[in-house]
Each structure stands twice: as structure tokens, then as C-alpha cells.
Amino acid sequence: MLQLTRRSLGGALALAACVLSGCADAPEFVSTVDKFKVKFGTAPQTSDRVVGGTRSVTYKVETSDGARSVTVTELPVKGDEPPEFVPWVLNSAKGDLIRAAGGKEESSGSHVLAGKYAGREFSASITQPTRGAMRARIWVVGPRLYQVMVIGTDAYVQSDLANEFLNSFQLTE
């Protein structure tokens, strides 16, 4: 009887650790408002803000080793922007993220979402909020800028959990 109790307790502790840190088999989080899905591993906290009339919402899960986040920003677009607009937005957003983290770019490349949306994938060493690393992917999709990021310790940013999170991001429309 005592052994069964220990097993039950061990299973409960393993389940709790999985829920708190994220699991490989965790269900996807779906945002119907911002039209994406991603495997956070647990329900994210959200923060919504408007700056200069531009809406931006961040979905985030934090752990002791780092954080996984998706930020969606409504871009002030009219629909008749020149072809260089998207690369300019992507490069500006990448630079802003790295600067805000007191970072230094380590690698960068193109990343296409859903076979048609131009994007950037990059990594950086950072100093803010603490020393560590960042990996991010960003895309412009119509009037939205999607930023999917993992930030934290080097081990956390390179973990299977971080890879699964980054690779699981999809648009729902």
C-alpha cells in the first residue's frame, strides 16, 4: 500500500513538473483573436497595450530558466506600401528586440511562414533582464507583425522545449 502511494505521489509530481515547465505532448494554445496556435505547454499570461494608437498583445509563459512568448502587433498599414516595406519592418523589429535586451546578434537568416510570409530567424546573446540568450522568429502577415521568442539561459534557449515551441507556431487563418 505504501509503495502504491509513493508511485501515485511520484506520478503526481511528474505531472505537476510537466504542467509547470511545458511538455512535449502539451496541447496547443489557440488565439482566435490574433489567429495563431502554438505549444506553450501551459496557459500563457497575456498583456495588452496600445502605444501611439497601435495595439500590441504579448502571450508569455515564464519559468525560472527563461520565457517563451508570442507578441502580435497591429501595423499601421494602408495596403499600398512599397515592396521594401516588409523587409524594413522585419529588420527594424529584429534590431529593436536585440537592442531592448542589450544584445549582440549571433546569427540571422530568412524564415518563411506557411510557405508565403517573409520573416527573419535570429539568435543573440543578451544582457537584459539578465545575461543569457535569445532566439526569435518574426513575420509580417498582412497588417500584423508576429514575434515568437525564447529568452533565458543558454541551455533553456537551446532546449527541446524551446525548439518545439518555435517550431509549433502556425497561423489559423
Side-chain angles (χ1 to χ4, degrees):
M1 183 80 152
L2 183 58
Q3 190 172 14
L4 179 60
T5 304
R6 284 185 184 159
R7 283 186 190 147
S8 299
L9 179 59
L13 290 174
L15 178 61
C18 179
V19 168
L20 290 173
S21 66
C23 308
D25 296 327
E28 291 179 317
F29 169 80
V30 178
S31 171
T32 55
V33 172
D34 290 312
K35 302 176 175 133
F36 72 89
K37 63 183 177 177
V38 70
K39 287 188 177 182
F40 271 112
T42 187
Q45 294 181 337
T46 61
S47 61
D48 206 337
R49 65 179 192 255
V50 176
V51 177
T54 301
R55 175 186 172 267
S56 183
V57 62
T58 298
Y59 302 81
K60 183 190 287 188
V61 170
E62 292 184 85
T63 72
S64 60
D65 293 326
R68 301 178 302 280
S69 66
V70 174
T71 300
V72 182
T73 304
E74 298 291 334
L75 300 172
V77 297
K78 298 176 225 147
D80 61 350
E81 286 72 26
E84 60 273 4
F85 175 75
V86 170
W88 178 83
V89 169
L90 292 170
N91 291 332
S92 295
K94 178 179 83 167
D96 290 348
L97 280 173
I98 293 171
R99 266 190 302 285
K104 179 181 175 191
E105 186 176 304
E106 300 288 327
S107 68
S108 181
S110 296
H111 191 277
V112 177
L113 178 65
K116 61 182 173 181
Y117 299 108
R120 300 284 184 271
E121 178 174 34
F122 59 94
S123 65
S125 58
I126 62 167
T127 59
Q128 298 295 324
T130 60
R131 288 201 180 281
M134 166 197 304
R135 285 175 55 203
R137 293 178 181 167
I138 56 177
W139 303 273
V140 172
V141 178
R144 289 190 170 113
L145 172 68
Y146 289 92
Q147 300 173 83
V148 181
M149 181 171 58
V150 179
I151 190 168
T153 65
D154 290 338
Y156 181 80
V157 169
Q158 296 303 323
S159 70
D160 290 342
L161 179 65
N163 290 334
E164 180 180 28
F165 171 72
L166 290 168
N167 292 332
S168 72
F169 182 84
Q170 294 178 21
L171 299 174
T172 57
E173 285 185 21

